[in-house]
């Protein structure tokens, strides 16, 4: 199948940074879909942890915490994937590794003002995914934000919803 996507409202005045922000918002809201599915199935959710290279960018951390509507615990290990792979390999081969567990370096709180602005932007352009957002309602179990966040003005024509 051919997968297509589009930016709604794209204009010549939009620069690379705007398109990057929109793409990152799309990733954040895809992760929010996962959280919503888990909550719908009554899966108890613990703290949300962020590791890896993306954990180094404060803008991404802020966006993700806000979109998820949950505090984000940033771990002090940007190379956690490599360490995880080493732990799996060691366990599979019976080798004992003494690697420290990553610690929480920061906790990023959701920003209700930003969430409200994202929600307004989404409300204006959500026709391509009717009824999908806001999926996590204010005060819903597992959320801390008073406002539902909203996805970017990005649509995938082959996304089902």
């Amino acid at each position: 199948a051919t997968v297509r996507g589009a930016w709604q409202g794209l204009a010549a005045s939009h620069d690379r940074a705007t398109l990057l922000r929109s793409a990152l918002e799309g990733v954040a809201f895809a992760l929010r879909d996962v959280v919503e599915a888990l909550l719908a199935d009554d899966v108890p959710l613990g703290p949300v942890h962020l590791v890896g290279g993306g954990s180094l960018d404060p803008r991404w951390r802020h966006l993700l915490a806000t979109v998820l509507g949950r505090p984000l615990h940033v771990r002090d290990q940007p190379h956690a994937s490599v360490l995880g792979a080493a732990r799996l390999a060691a366990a599979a081969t019976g080798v004992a590794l003494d690697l420290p567990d990553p610690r929480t370096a920061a906790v990023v709180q959701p920003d209700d003002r930003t969430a409200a602005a994202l929600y307004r932007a989404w409300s204006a352009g959500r026709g391509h995914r009717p009824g999908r957002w806001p999926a996590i309602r204010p005060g819903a179990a597992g959320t801390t934000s008073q406002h539902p966040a909203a996805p970017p003005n990005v649509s995938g024509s082959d996304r089902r919803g």
Side-chain angles (χ1 to χ4, degrees):
T2 301
V3 178
R4 298 179 188 184
W7 270 277
Q8 291 181 336
L10 185 63
S13 61
H14 291 111
D15 58 9
R16 291 174 66 173
T18 303
L19 296 178
L20 175 60
R21 166 75 184 207
S22 178
L24 290 173
E25 287 175 358
V27 170
F29 284 105
L31 292 170
R32 183 181 169 127
D33 276 340
V34 172
V35 169
E36 176 68 17
L38 292 170
L39 291 172
D41 285 342
D42 295 321
V43 174
L45 298 181
V48 177
H49 298 276
L50 182 63
V51 297
S55 68
L56 300 175
D57 191 313
R59 296 165 297 184
W60 169 240
R61 297 185 307 224
H62 178 261
L63 175 65
L64 188 57
T66 298
V67 168
L68 294 178
R70 301 170 59 89
L72 186 67
H73 297 258
V74 181
R75 304 306 286 243
D76 68 349
Q77 183 48 258
H79 305 292
S81 297
V82 173
L83 291 177
R87 286 179 185 198
L88 288 172
T93 59
V95 174
L97 283 182
D98 184 25
L99 298 174
D101 287 328
R103 293 169 295 149
T104 298
V107 177
V108 180
Q109 297 296 329
D111 180 341
D112 289 340
R113 290 179 309 170
T114 302
L118 287 170
Y119 175 70
R120 284 191 302 275
W122 169 249
S123 295
R126 71 180 186 191
H128 61 277
R129 291 175 68 188
R132 286 291 311 254
W133 292 90
I136 299 178
R137 296 156 311 284
T143 65
T144 59
S145 180
Q146 296 301 307
H147 304 283
N153 253 354
V154 176
S155 67
S157 61
D158 289 347
R159 285 189 66 167
R160 307 287 182 232

